[in-house]
Amino acid sequence: MNICKTISEFRRYRRSAAGGKVIFVPTMGALHEGHGSLVRMARRLAGSDGIVAVSIFVNPTQFGPQEDFHKYPRPFEQDLAHLAAWEADAVFFPSPEEMYAPGSAMSIDPGPLGSVLDGAIRPGHFRGVCTVVAKLLGIVEPASMILGQKDFQQQLILKHMVRDLNMPVEVVTAPTLREPDGLAMSSRNRYLSPDQRAQAGSIYQALSWARHEYSGGVRDAGALEAGLSERIGQAGLEVQYALACHPETLEVYRQTVATPCVFLIAATLGTTRLIDNLVVA
Ligand code: PAF
């Protein structure tokens, strides 16, 4: 596996390995089986002559001043072992100075989708995400980029970014991988104490309840949202939002939940913030 720490090293590697297509998985490291499913999907899409490229970069510009940038886990050696087992070909592991050269001042406006839901709670977050992903795409030049559905708003905004800015890359959204109790796999799950870990399962239980109600014909947005919040709140989590939205526009269904719909949840457990979603069609 090739480890490239600079942009020029990665570009050199990419030129020398020219052949099949490049499939890209951007990450912030602290890899888990959820990332494993993305990298394995990349391997299938790349085939034996293509390249699976993974970036590991904890991007400072997408964290707010009070957020967990400094404590974000950085187990690089473990990450490398995972990537080798998942058959990645190349890892791009730049420093912040490499990604943001002194004087670099450009950023990408994520548009209206960037200021709702997580964008309202984490101002500037999606500007940071779009900017770093645009830069990574300019370096890696992949045919496809694979993102996880857990970060639902992120994958939607990045699809808009590549469409609106005519970037020649296909964005593929991969299903969320879950723990046996349904908790969506996330690098931030490792912050949870054993008690909090047990409480966190309530997020998926609440989403599954909403899906069950929806399948049974319930369309009352207020009742579904109240039921979601109640279930998560009872487990001891602080709910930031629990909403039924249109999955393409993120418009919140205020009265009647229509089809298609995504149930979106953000909640905190102590200082850990968790998000999850379920799409129903
Ligand atoms: O989802 C993530 O891990 C990050 O937001 C991403 C897409 C790698 C950009 O820093």
Side-chain angles (χ1 to χ4, degrees):
M1 197 167 56
N2 280 272
I3 302 166
C4 306
K5 293 193 173 174
T6 65
I7 296 167
S8 54
E9 261 179 84
F10 186 85
R11 289 197 166 131
R12 214 173 310 122
Y13 160 74
R14 197 189 181 293
R15 272 197 306 275
S16 70
K21 53 191 170 186
V22 177
I23 313 292
F24 176 47
V25 182
T27 82
M28 297 204 301
L31 304 178
H32 48 72
E33 274 304 318
H35 294 109
S37 73
L38 307 186
V39 177
R40 288 194 186 100
M41 178 185 276
R43 185 73 274 159
R44 284 195 298 278
L45 292 178
S48 52
D49 61 339
I51 293 172
V52 173
V54 177
S55 62
I56 296 182
F57 180 61
V58 186
N59 173 35
T61 67
Q62 69 187 74
F63 288 80
Q66 309 303 327
E67 293 184 353
D68 55 344
F69 173 68
H70 291 292
K71 82 164 187 184
Y72 201 85
R74 290 161 169 86
F76 184 58
E77 293 303 323
Q78 262 177 45
D79 286 349
L80 287 185
H82 283 310
L83 290 174
W86 300 330
E87 296 183 65
D89 297 303
V91 188
F92 179 51
F93 177 59
S95 65
E97 297 71 31
E98 180 72 9
M99 284 303 280
Y100 295 102
S104 76
M106 279 291 165
S107 63
I108 292 191
D109 183 343
L113 288 176
S115 56
V116 298
L117 301 168
D118 281 359
I121 293 167
R122 307 180 67 189
H125 171 67
F126 289 114
R127 177 180 291 276
V129 169
C130 286
T131 304
V132 80
V133 172
K135 287 163 77 69
L136 289 167
L137 290 175
I139 297 161
V140 177
E141 296 183 70
S144 307
M145 168 171 70
I146 304 186
L147 300 169
Q149 189 190 314
K150 185 186 76 74
D151 296 297
F152 192 85
Q153 188 173 5
Q154 169 172 280
Q155 58 83 39
L156 184 65
I157 289 173
L158 291 173
K159 279 182 176 152
H160 280 248
M161 179 182 83
V162 305
R163 185 199 67 190
D164 293 357
L165 300 182
N166 308 104
M167 295 175 166
V169 57
E170 172 202 28
V171 179
V172 179
T173 304
T176 303
L177 230 69
R178 299 184 178 282
E179 301 288 355
D181 67 347
L183 178 66
M185 289 189 186
S186 163
S187 304
R188 290 188 168 100
N189 291 352
R190 63 183 77 190
Y191 296 152
L192 300 172
S193 69
D195 283 351
Q196 290 175 328
R197 174 62 193 81
Q199 292 166 274
S202 64
I203 297 178
Y204 185 67
Q205 284 160 22
L207 287 168
S208 304
W209 166 83
R211 178 173 56 192
H212 179 262
E213 293 297 290
Y214 181 93
S215 310
V218 177
R219 293 291 182 275
D220 179 334
L224 287 166
E225 290 171 9
L228 282 170
S229 291
E230 209 175 281
R231 280 165 175 77
I232 303 162
Q234 272 165 3
L237 285 81
E238 188 104 0
V239 180
Q240 291 187 328
Y241 58 76
L243 296 166
C245 297
H246 191 290
E248 303 292 328
T249 63
L250 299 184
E251 183 200 337
V252 179
Y253 292 127
R254 293 282 171 206
Q255 308 264 321
T256 304
V257 175
T259 305
C261 163
V262 57
F263 292 107
L264 291 162
I265 288 180
T268 56
L269 254 173
T271 53
T272 305
R273 183 169 190 273
L274 301 171
I275 58 173
D276 200 356
N277 65 83
L278 261 190
V279 176
V280 287

